Amino acid sequence: MNSIGKKLSGIAAAAAVAPFVLVAAANADTPDTVYFNYGPEVNCAITGDGTVGCDVAPSRIVAIPVGNAAVPVPFPVDQVVIDHPALPAHPGFARGAFTRPGGNPNMSDVKTGEGYASISVSHAGATCVATGGHYSGPGLSCTAKGHAFSLYSTGGGVRSGIIMS
């Protein structure tokens, strides 16, 4: 199987496992979970076991890096998750699992780090970093369990896609 086939079969496996794994994340309203939002359209959480995920609305187009190219997934997603070291970042299927009732606090209210043009939230071995002016800039990147995903903007401050690795 070529590398594209391996990556796509990994995504298919992740999609099959995600509904079962995310049951824990959906019930993660516990003191060991850190919740935050990245603007009005992205709500994220990092659980005590280092799982990180974001609910996004409206849905985004997802791309998977393959060599020097980004291969789009043929359907939009409204959640991205890193929940297991053996699985790459992948779409989630438990809508709202990373959003508290009434919404999550602003990322700047729970930040654990700050740079010249960025803020970060680190918890349980996972880190999410927002870059750009005034913390609303063009990207949010999260790393956990040896994998990463990034929400990116193509301009105008609109988060227009997700890259998973």
Side-chain angles (χ1 to χ4, degrees), residues 36-38 105-111 119-121 128-130 140:
F36 60 93
N37 72 42
Y38 177 64
N106 190 287
M107 188 174 186
S108 63
D109 294 337
V110 297
K111 68 185 176 192
I119 60 171
S120 62
V121 174
C128 292
V129 178
L140 175 72

Side-chain angles (χ1 to χ4, degrees), residues 78-91:
D78 55 13
Q79 188 178 77
V80 62
V81 181
I82 302 170
D83 56 6
H84 196 280
L87 298 175
H90 56 84

